[in-house]
Structure formats: structure tokens, C-alpha cells
Amino acid sequence: MLKIAVMVSGGGTNLQAIIDAISTHALKNVAIDCVISNKADAYALKRAEDNGIDSVCIRPRDYPDKDAYGRYLASFLKERGTDLVVLAGFLVVLPECFIDEFENRIINIHPSLIPSFCGDGFYGLKVHEAALARGVKVTGATVHYVDSGCDTGPIILQKAVYVEEGDTPETLQKRVMQQAEWIILPQAIQMIADRREK
Ligand code: GAR
């Protein structure tokens, strides 16, 4: 059983996609051990609670600096025996000390086809605003391993989504979520769980 921790900052629709995939057995040999949010009012925490999943809010501002925050997160997850950390709309850049501790065991979902519209400042709706401003006809989502750079780690899965005439950042975000993110995030987790079973 792959024990995952899902880290969130907002609505948690990607968390919900993982919960649903586990409950319909589309995702096998995977258990969500806990959900961590950096925001106390994140709706994702309510989704965790509704599904009987341990959840906790751990905020950077409660620690003297980013490294102290990272060290606490790492010790928290190590104590719980976390195998894989899934960043599902987690909008805090994690410090290197955390990434080193969980090397090759952190994945992230990003709402574009990396290397387009990624890196510093590209998150959430901003990604779709930039894609529309550039006039791309195809966008999508990427699941990748997290390394010490911003959206630079090895790519695990990508899925393309067409931009449609009249799209707004909001309609494009919704379509990218529905047609790409909610599909490839559970798939990537399954790939990692399967590899571990062998
Ligand atoms: C998702 O679109 C995710 O790809 C994005 O934040 C949204 C979170 O939605 N993540 C990033 O932009 C990371 N750079 P959710 O809380 O409903 O899953």
C-alpha cells in the first residue's frame, strides 16, 4: 500500500479526484494518510474531513523561516511513514531541506504543458491568463517530480487540452481540470504505486 500525503491550498478538486479514484477502485494499493493545507480556510480541508481523512493546517508564518517550516513538515510526514507527497494545488514553494528529505518522492500537478507557462509566478488562474494572452491553441496539464527548481523536475505524465473560441481564464481552467488534471494525477500516483509493488 502506497501511503500518500496530499498537500493543498485551495478548493481541493484534485484531492477530490484522488479520493474518488480510490473509492471507485480506479486507484489501487494507495491510501491517503493525511491532507496538509497551508490555509486554515481551504475547502480542501472540508473535503478531507467529509471523507474521514486526517487533515491539518501547517502554515509557513507560524515558523521562524522557510527552512524551519520545511524541517517541521518533513519530520511530521516521516513520523507518519509517508511514501509519497502529492502537491495538489499547494501554492507554497517548499524549501530545499524538505525536497532533499523526500527526494524523488514528491510530485506536483501543474495546469499547463511544461515547459510552457510554468516557473515563478505561474500558478492557478495566472497560468490560464498567460496561455490565453499568448494565444496558444493547445494547453493542458503536467504531473512531474519536484526537484529544487520551480516546475523543473522530471515529467511523469502530460495531457493536452484544446483552447476554445471565447475561452476565459475560468472556462479554460475548468476544462483543463476536467479533461486533464483530474485524470493524470490519479494515473501518475497509480504508476508510482505499481512500480513499488513490483
Ligand atoms: C489546479 O489547477 C492546479 O493545477 C494548480 O492549482 C489548482 C488547484 O486546484 N496548481 C498550480 O498552479 C501549481 N503551480 P484544486 O485546489 O481545485 O485542486
Side-chain angles (χ1 to χ4, degrees), residues 123-158:
Y123 59 87
L125 265 189
K126 288 180 192 289
V127 176
H128 305 292
E129 283 163 8
L132 289 176
R134 184 62 186 85
V136 295
K137 303 301 175 203
V138 179
T139 183
T142 303
V143 182
H144 63 93
Y145 283 105
V146 174
D147 65 9
S148 58
C150 193
D151 298 331
T152 51
I155 290 170
I156 304 169
L157 285 175
Q158 291 188 303

Side-chain angles (χ1 to χ4, degrees), residues 159-175:
K159 193 164 188 293
V161 174
Y162 284 109
V163 176
E164 287 176 9
E165 193 85 22
D167 259 338
T168 63
E170 289 78 9
T171 60
L172 186 56
Q173 178 182 54
K174 185 94 197 273
R175 190 168 338 98

Side-chain angles (χ1 to χ4, degrees), residues 171-188:
T171 60
L172 186 56
Q173 178 182 54
K174 185 94 197 273
R175 190 168 338 98
V176 168
M177 284 175 158
Q178 284 172 335
Q179 295 184 4
E181 296 186 43
W182 301 341
I183 298 164
I184 63 173
L185 185 56
Q187 273 177 359

Side-chain angles (χ1 to χ4, degrees), residues 7-17 44 47 87-91 108-112 117-119 121-128 140-142 144 150-151 173-174 176-177 181-182 185:
M7 299 185 68
V8 296
S9 297
T13 63
N14 279 287
L15 165 67
Q16 191 67 54
R47 294 182 193 268
L87 307 184
F90 185 68
L91 302 183
N108 178 50
I109 177 89
H110 183 77
S112 75
F117 311 114
C118 65
F122 286 100
Y123 59 87
L125 265 189
K126 288 180 192 289
V127 176
H128 305 292
T142 303
H144 63 93
C150 193
D151 298 331
Q173 178 182 54
K174 185 94 197 273
V176 168
M177 284 175 158
E181 296 186 43
W182 301 341
L185 185 56

Side-chain angles (χ1 to χ4, degrees), residues 31-162:
I32 304 176
D33 177 59
C34 64
V35 170
I36 299 177
S37 173
N38 64 310
K39 292 209 171 128
D41 61 352
Y43 187 69
L45 288 173
K46 168 92 170 63
R47 294 182 193 268
E49 191 189 314
D50 288 350
N51 287 278
I53 301 166
D54 285 356
S55 63
V56 60
C57 173
I58 307 177
R59 303 180 300 185
R61 68 167 170 195
D62 294 330
Y63 296 82
D65 54 39
K66 255 315 186 34
D67 279 348
Y69 177 63
R71 280 196 301 275
Y72 178 75
L73 279 176
S75 67
F76 179 86
L77 292 175
K78 274 172 76 181
E79 204 159 292
R80 295 190 71 106
T82 303
D83 297 311
L84 180 73
V85 179
V86 178
L87 307 184
F90 185 68
L91 302 183
V92 176
V93 177
L94 289 162
E96 218 159 313
C97 63
F98 179 83
I99 291 158
D100 288 350
E101 201 65 63
F102 280 88
E103 204 182 354
N104 300 320
R105 292 193 296 143
I106 311 169
I107 65 171
N108 178 50
I109 177 89
H110 183 77
S112 75
L113 295 174
I114 289 175
S116 290
F117 311 114
C118 65
D120 240 7
F122 286 100
Y123 59 87
L125 265 189
K126 288 180 192 289
V127 176
H128 305 292
E129 283 163 8
L132 289 176
R134 184 62 186 85
V136 295
K137 303 301 175 203
V138 179
T139 183
T142 303
V143 182
H144 63 93
Y145 283 105
V146 174
D147 65 9
S148 58
C150 193
D151 298 331
T152 51
I155 290 170
I156 304 169
L157 285 175
Q158 291 188 303
K159 193 164 188 293
V161 174
Y162 284 109

